[in-house]
Amino acid sequence: CAVAHGTPKCASRVCAVKGCDPGWDDCNGRYADGCEAPIDTSIVSCGRCGIACSLPHAQPRCAAGTCLVDTCLPPWADCNLLPADGCETDVGEAGDLENCGGCGARCAPENGAGACVKGACRIARCDDGFRDCNGDPEDGCEADVASSTDHCGGCGRACAPPHAIAACRPTADGAACALDRCLGDFADCDGDPATGCEVD
């Protein structure tokens, strides 16, 4: 009598399986193939015969008789690192701003509110006085249109009067370009910020 991955016995002149080596089991009850099931690594008999390894939204693997996540099925991710519930987080879900595109990837644009769209963080709206002028959600609503001389009152509205140091000052309906001071021997004689310090 000989048993693959186990110990044989002879009972009533018939060879049989007496016991299996660690990590193996006789799941089909047949002597011919001995202890045929590698219960340490088999996803159909993980840890014990007939215990299938199946996890939500995941490709599973069996290691040391325990069912684990091998890979997650997009757009799901294993954010809590608990094998029992598999890949529990939908990182492409529109409403999940804490896990947008990946575990722990917060969608919280500076000076605004975010929206997770198919796993990518987008700017839903900007706070009052701020705009997203460069179109990059990474730095949020980066332009302070109430004080920026590059975007005074709106994106791309540069405030650069000739021969002067410019200032962007808040107004009742937004912001407007103003003169902070004139440079050198120039003066603002017409009082129009658009012409700067126009007189030498």
Side-chain angles (χ1 to χ4, degrees):
C1 294
V3 171
H5 308 295
T7 304
K9 67 179 180 179
C10 183
S12 301
R13 301 181 184 181
V14 176
C15 287
V17 176
K18 180 179 181 181
C20 293
D21 295 341
W24 295 86
D25 209 342
D26 179 19
C27 292
N28 63 13
R30 292 201 298 260
Y31 163 76
D33 55 5
C35 299
E36 84 290 345
I39 58 173
D40 269 358
T41 58
S42 171
I43 61 170
V44 294
S45 293
C46 186
R48 288 199 323 251
C49 291
I51 304 299
C53 187
S54 177
L55 298 173
H57 313 296
Q59 178 67 45
R61 66 186 172 93
C62 182
T66 302
C67 193
L68 302 173
V69 173
D70 186 35
T71 56
C72 290
L73 304 177
W76 297 86
D78 180 18
C79 293
N80 64 10
L81 302 180
L82 298 175
D85 59 3
C87 300
E88 80 294 339
T89 304
D90 182 353
V91 295
E93 184 181 359
D96 192 351
L97 298 180
E98 297 301 314
N99 302 288
C100 184
C103 296
R106 293 188 74 234
C107 180
E110 192 173 355
N111 305 315
C116 189
V117 181
K118 295 182 180 178
C121 186
R122 298 285 183 259
I123 295 172
R125 63 169 180 78
C126 291
D127 295 342
D128 288 344
F130 290 90
R131 298 288 182 275
D132 175 26
C133 291
N134 63 8
D136 183 3
E138 293 263 334
D139 58 5
C141 301
E142 82 291 344
D144 180 355
V145 294
S147 64
S148 170
T149 54
D150 291 327
H151 307 284
C152 186
C155 291
R157 293 175 59 181
C159 182
H163 313 296
I165 301 295
C168 182
R169 299 207 169 99
T171 63
D173 57 351
C177 190
L179 299 180
D180 186 52
R181 69 177 189 276
C182 291
L183 297 175
D185 292 326
F186 286 87
D188 175 26
C189 294
D190 63 5
D192 182 1
T195 60
C197 299
E198 78 287 352
V199 176
D200 183 353

